Structure formats: structure tokens, C-alpha cells
Amino acid sequence: MKRFPDCEEYKDDNKIVLKENNSKLTFRNPKRDKILLITVDGCAISDDENKRCDYALVCSNGVEIYVELKGSKIKHAFEQIESTIKLLSDNPQTIKKWCFVVSTRVPKLTTNIQNIKSKFKNKYNATLIVYKTPYTDDLSKYTIQEKI
């Protein structure tokens, strides 16, 4: 992941809470893993030319997590995450990624969304997850050292 010292902080809190646009994502961090939290929107990427998601996290094992907290424009959220991966990830095709869209309104799982999820998996080695706000997940699922 590219570095942005003015936009980064390390977190090893029991809970990491991200909020914006009436959406909230809480990551439980029971092992208190040291997580690099990057504020992307308005800091790491602040120009108006590039779409960007709200946050990026890097786990101690190198797994990248991209987060977009949304009102209801889910399609735009996918574009923001994709653009951020292209701009920030050191190796968009091989590094394991988890992408979260947490929204006030989540559409049904349509063929279009399934196709976007498949594209993310094939093109960016990324699992795309869409949930309604508020959503809580456990970081230990993503910080476990994966066998290569």
C-alpha cells in the first residue's frame, strides 16, 4: 500500500469504528492486532479528479481492507473502491483485499451486483461485501495468516 504519513494512524483498539454519511462500520479487534488506518477521502486522495473510498486499512499480515460508507448510491461506491485500489494498492492483482460497502439502503443481490463481485474477485483478488448500516465484523477473520 502506498504511504501517506499525514493521513495514517495505527490502531490496536478492541473496536475500530468508522462513521460517515449516516453509515457506520465497526470492526471488532479482539486480538488487538496493529491495524494501519488510512483516511483516503479528503486526505490520501483529495483531488476532485479521482473517485475514492472513505478508508483503507492494512492488517499486520498485509491484507488490505477498503471501506466506503454510503447513503444509497451503491453503484458509485463500487466505482470509488475500484478507483482507490488502482491508486493505492502496490499490487492490485495479488494482494488479498476485502472491500466493504456499508449503506443506509442495500439493493437485493441482483445479477449486476453478482457480476461486480466476480469482477472484483478476478481482477483485484478482492472480496466485495455489501451490508446495511450499522454493521459489525470481526477483524480476526482478515488478520489470520493465510497459507500461500
Side-chain angles (χ1 to χ4, degrees):
M1 175 85 58
K2 294 182 178 47
R3 301 301 307 260
F4 302 90
D6 293 341
C7 306
E8 299 174 357
E9 64 178 306
Y10 281 96
K11 296 266 193 179
D12 62 359
D13 304 351
N14 199 35
K15 287 184 181 177
I16 299 172
V17 180
L18 306 172
K19 292 195 280 190
E20 194 167 308
N21 295 324
N22 296 320
S23 292
K24 177 180 171 183
L25 172 59
T26 303
F27 284 114
R28 286 187 306 269
N29 189 13
K31 296 180 181 178
R32 300 186 74 106
D33 193 45
K34 190 174 180 182
I35 304 296
L36 175 63
L37 174 64
I38 302 167
T39 302
V40 177
D41 190 7
C43 194
I45 303 172
S46 57
D47 63 75
D48 290 333
E49 295 175 24
N50 291 301
K51 294 177 184 168
R52 65 259 181 199
C53 66
D54 295 313
Y55 299 97
L57 295 83
V58 182
C59 301
S60 59
N61 63 351
V63 168
E64 297 175 359
I65 299 174
Y66 295 85
V67 176
E68 176 58 26
L69 303 170
K70 235 1 181 194
S72 60
K73 297 178 181 175
I74 299 295
K75 183 176 184 284
H76 188 244
F78 299 148
E79 294 168 357
Q80 290 173 279
I81 289 176
E82 182 175 27
S83 175
T84 304
I85 290 171
K86 289 177 182 177
L87 291 167
L88 300 188
S89 184
D90 286 333
N91 196 331
Q93 286 76 33
T94 58
I95 295 172
K96 179 66 181 157
K97 287 172 247 2
W98 295 87
C99 304
F100 289 84
V101 175
V102 178
S103 174
T104 57
R105 191 181 310 154
V106 176
K108 292 181 179 172
L109 187 62
T110 63
T111 303
N112 188 34
I113 291 175
Q114 288 174 326
N115 290 338
I116 292 169
K117 286 184 173 193
S118 180
K119 172 188 171 185
F120 269 71
K121 182 61 111 182
N122 296 329
K123 194 170 182 180
Y124 303 112
N125 193 22
T127 301
L128 182 61
I129 301 168
V130 181
Y131 285 108
K132 187 172 188 206
T133 193
Y135 181 69
T136 300
D137 206 334
D138 194 329
L139 270 177
S140 61
K141 292 191 286 190
Y142 312 109
T143 58
I144 295 170
Q145 290 290 341
E146 295 182 15
K147 294 182 181 178
I148 299 174

